[in-house]
Amino acid sequence: MRVYGSPPSALLRAVDRDDGRVVFLGHVLATERELRTAPLRELPGAYSCATVTAAGVELHTDRAGQFPFHISVRGHETLIAHHATLLAALHSRTPDPLSAAIQIACPNVLPLTMGRSFFTDVGRYENAHHGPVAGLRAALVEAVRRRGPGASADFSGGIDSTSLAFLAAADGPVDAVVYHHDRIPAADLDAARRAAALSDRIRLSVVTGDQHTLPYQGISPDPPAFGATADRTGLDWPAPGLLAYRRAALRLDWARRREAEGTVHLTGEGADALFQPPPSYLATLFRQGELRRWASHSARLSRLRQASALDLAVRAARLAATSHGRALRALARSLARPSSADAPGPGDAVGWWNVAGEAAGWLTPQIRGDLADLAGEPATARKLPAGLTPARHATLASLRSAADAQRFLRTLGDHLGVAVHAPYLDDAVVGAVLDGPAPVPDPARAKPQLADALAGLVPKVVLTRRTKGAYQAEEYAGARAARRQIAGLLDDSRLADLGVVDPAAVRTTLTRLNAGAPVPLSALGRLVALEVWLRR
């Protein structure tokens, strides 16, 4: 067993136990005594672990997937590592074109992404550990308390990060920060100021973005990933957050300047995935025979999503009778013949997944055929357990996406000298939601399960805020401002060299973007992140 590089000491711990040597990777918030005596799967925090005994090695990963293990087998040698790039270097693995295509066109289709890394023949180990189920309120309070007093926190004024700051304020003063862009405001600043005024223990600061902190700024045919502050070799996957690293760095650099040694910075990552019911829960209501709620919730969601109530209700009824295997076969057919007219609409959220036809159209015919074959294979459908609902799949896919986003923030924080933690992604919190009693969705409230759990601990005005900061305007502004740099990446496209994309098709989308037309911007961001990452 070897440790490469200089990982933060707080992320790597090892202890001898009766059953062998145990190595922990992640945010293990246990005392030394707990490390040696408590059950391995019941320790506080978010962590993966490897138990090494004379009989072999046993692996368990954290529930959300912040700290994955990757595996590569060559001949009689099996290597296990956190970073896929390390295994790729040791076993001479190359980037995987199919994984790149999945990332562009359908990253939230779990049976396609499970077990894969971005390198050929480097797999991702899928075996999350499950501990006892605690109450959500107790799990969240303990998750924040274990980070100790003195933590700083993001503070948008919404229910997610702001609630964590109020929980931390129970143990002492909290320095909080909100991001704001004067020219393209996201509606968080006023809400943050109102919330901060409710506690004399919360000291709010504002970091202000400008043209240079917009997404896509700083990319070029050969850009540094984190400017002069970081080394791109630390990223072993094409994190979409890479494109907006300057915006994130504003908050984390603020945290670095105010933090005492050993304290952490809290983010609200993971709350959307765990507590925002996906619209596909309408299918669960229909399947369970709760027809009155199915109809009334369809009507309420139609007003929130500016969609037809009848359309949502009919989609939910059809979805209730659609297995994930059948949905995968339909995905395979749509990938074979993508159309730019297949832009996802507001009703498409009531489905197993959304795939933008325009994004799929960027892929070459060969890679689309390979991806369609993979989606249509019976073995792909068997990766998901029988009985999994579309709503649970959506939650699990969002949770993995949140874990990847937090992993990027943590990596950026490591380069800046800040320990970035996401208490919502702690194993006990995730377990309380996924393994606890099923919540009762309420379209009239924002994240009712979280609000109910924190009632009395967090001000009601925070728990009842319905709006959320929207940063899509910054995404569009940044992409349009960087159109020449994006075009420069396509002129020497690494994805084209791998046979993944047709640059001409992507340029057509860029032309539409510059003309002000709506485009699949999230997919474009993932494509550009891949181009940047492949130049590492």
Side-chain angles (χ1 to χ4, degrees):
M1 183 176 297
R2 297 181 181 178
V3 177
Y4 290 81
S6 302
S9 58
L11 287 181
L12 193 66
R13 301 175 71 177
V15 64
D16 289 319
R17 295 172 60 112
D18 293 339
D19 46 1
R21 181 77 165 168
V22 184
V23 179
F24 297 93
L25 171 68
H27 295 148
V28 185
L29 307 178
T31 64
E32 287 297 323
R33 178 180 177 82
E34 288 172 325
L35 275 184
R36 297 180 184 279
T37 60
L40 287 181
R41 305 181 195 184
E42 299 180 16
L43 298 172
Y47 60 92
S48 298
C49 62
T51 301
V52 184
T53 66
V57 178
E58 182 178 350
L59 303 178
H60 293 281
T61 58
D62 68 291
R63 290 294 300 268
Q66 277 195 81
F67 306 98
F69 284 123
H70 295 93
I71 298 178
S72 178
V73 179
R74 187 176 65 180
H76 297 291
E77 182 178 60
T78 299
L79 297 181
I80 302 168
H82 174 50
H83 287 287
T85 45
L86 175 61
L87 301 184
L90 293 174
H91 275 177
S92 302
R93 306 304 194 192
T94 57
D96 181 11
L98 196 54
S99 291
I102 294 169
Q103 174 76 347
I104 293 168
C106 39
N108 292 322
V109 182
L110 283 183
L112 297 181
T113 61
M114 290 174 67
R116 304 188 73 93
S117 78
F118 287 92
F119 295 96
T120 302
D121 295 325
V122 176
R124 174 167 170 155
Y125 188 71
E126 304 280 355
N127 181 26
H129 58 77
H130 293 246
V133 178
L136 177 58
R137 182 186 182 99
L140 275 171
V141 169
E142 182 71 358
V144 174
R145 186 190 69 81
R146 288 274 182 166
R147 265 78 185 182
S152 62
D154 287 346
F155 198 89
S156 67
I159 189 173
D160 305 340
S161 58
T162 307
S163 292
L164 297 179
F166 274 98
L167 292 181
D171 291 328
V174 174
D175 287 321
V177 62
V178 59
Y179 168 84
H180 176 69
H181 195 296
D182 288 330
R183 188 168 62 85
I184 315 174
D188 277 343
L189 181 58
D190 289 342
R193 284 173 170 162
R194 287 193 298 270
L198 300 174
S199 172
D200 57 7
R201 289 188 171 187
I202 294 177
R203 302 174 296 216
L204 182 65
S205 297
V206 181
V207 294
T208 304
D210 55 26
Q211 184 69 17
H212 299 291
T213 61
L214 291 176
Y216 295 90
Q217 306 312 297
I219 67 168
S220 69
D222 188 21
F226 303 141
T229 64
D231 177 3
R232 185 166 61 251
T233 58
L235 279 183
D236 70 329
W237 83 108
L242 174 68
L243 302 181
Y245 78 90
R246 291 180 174 181
R247 185 171 67 197
L250 280 178
R251 306 193 320 273
L252 299 185
D253 189 58
W254 168 90
R256 176 190 60 80
R257 287 184 279 106
R258 56 74 48 201
E259 280 187 352
E261 184 177 356
T263 57
V264 304
H265 182 73
L266 306 179
T267 78
E269 198 65 61
D272 282 346
L274 291 173
F275 304 113
Q276 189 65 55
S280 52
Y281 84 84
L282 292 175
T284 305
L285 295 180
F286 185 86
R287 191 172 184 179
Q288 293 174 342
E290 299 186 46
L291 301 186
R292 184 171 295 178
R293 290 180 62 205
W294 159 70
S296 65
H297 283 215
S298 295
R300 292 179 184 178
L301 282 176
S302 72
R303 292 190 290 270
L304 292 174
R305 304 184 70 86
Q306 297 182 328
S308 161
L310 178 61
D311 180 52
L312 293 184
V314 170
R315 286 174 181 267
R318 290 174 178 167
L319 182 60
T322 304
S323 67
H324 65 266
R326 182 179 171 188
L328 282 168
R329 292 190 293 274
L331 174 62
R333 292 192 295 271
S334 69
L335 288 170
R337 295 182 179 84
S339 169
S340 59
D342 296 337
D348 288 324
V350 184
W352 276 97
W353 37 68
N354 284 333
V355 175
E358 184 172 358
W362 301 335
L363 305 179
T364 64
Q366 178 64 54
I367 202 71
R368 275 194 284 108
D370 293 343
L371 189 51
D373 289 344
L374 178 63
E377 287 180 1
T380 300
R382 288 196 294 270
K383 289 186 176 182
L384 295 183
L388 184 77
T389 66
R392 174 53 69 98
H393 173 275
T395 296
L396 294 176
S398 295
L399 185 61
R400 178 165 292 200
S401 178
D404 282 343
Q406 175 62 20
R407 188 178 170 200
F408 171 77
L409 287 175
R410 190 182 68 249
T411 302
L412 179 58
D414 290 343
H415 283 290
L416 293 170
V418 181
V420 185
H421 288 228
Y424 290 118
L425 295 179
D426 274 13
D427 295 325
V429 177
V430 174
V433 176
L434 297 186
D435 300 336
V440 179
D442 183 354
R445 301 172 62 200
K447 300 174 183 169
Q449 185 183 19
L450 178 59
D452 290 345
L454 297 181
L457 299 177
V458 176
K460 185 176 181 180
V461 68
V462 173
L463 299 178
T464 56
R465 181 185 172 190
R466 293 297 306 273
T467 60
K468 184 177 178 64
Y471 293 90
Q472 293 91 335
E474 283 199 29
E475 302 293 327
Y476 271 99
R480 290 183 180 123
R483 58 188 181 276
R484 291 188 179 86
Q485 288 80 6
I486 298 174
L489 293 174
L490 295 173
D491 288 340
D492 183 29
S493 171
R494 301 295 193 271
L495 288 170
D497 292 342
L498 289 173
V500 176
V501 302
D502 174 6
V506 185
R507 289 191 187 96
T508 299
T509 295
L510 285 180
T511 300
R512 296 180 61 250
L513 171 70
N514 296 334
V519 301
L521 194 59
S522 294
L524 180 64
R526 295 190 297 269
L527 184 151
V528 174
L530 272 160
E531 288 284 5
V532 172
W533 179 74
L534 288 168
R535 287 166 167 78
R536 67 195 187 287

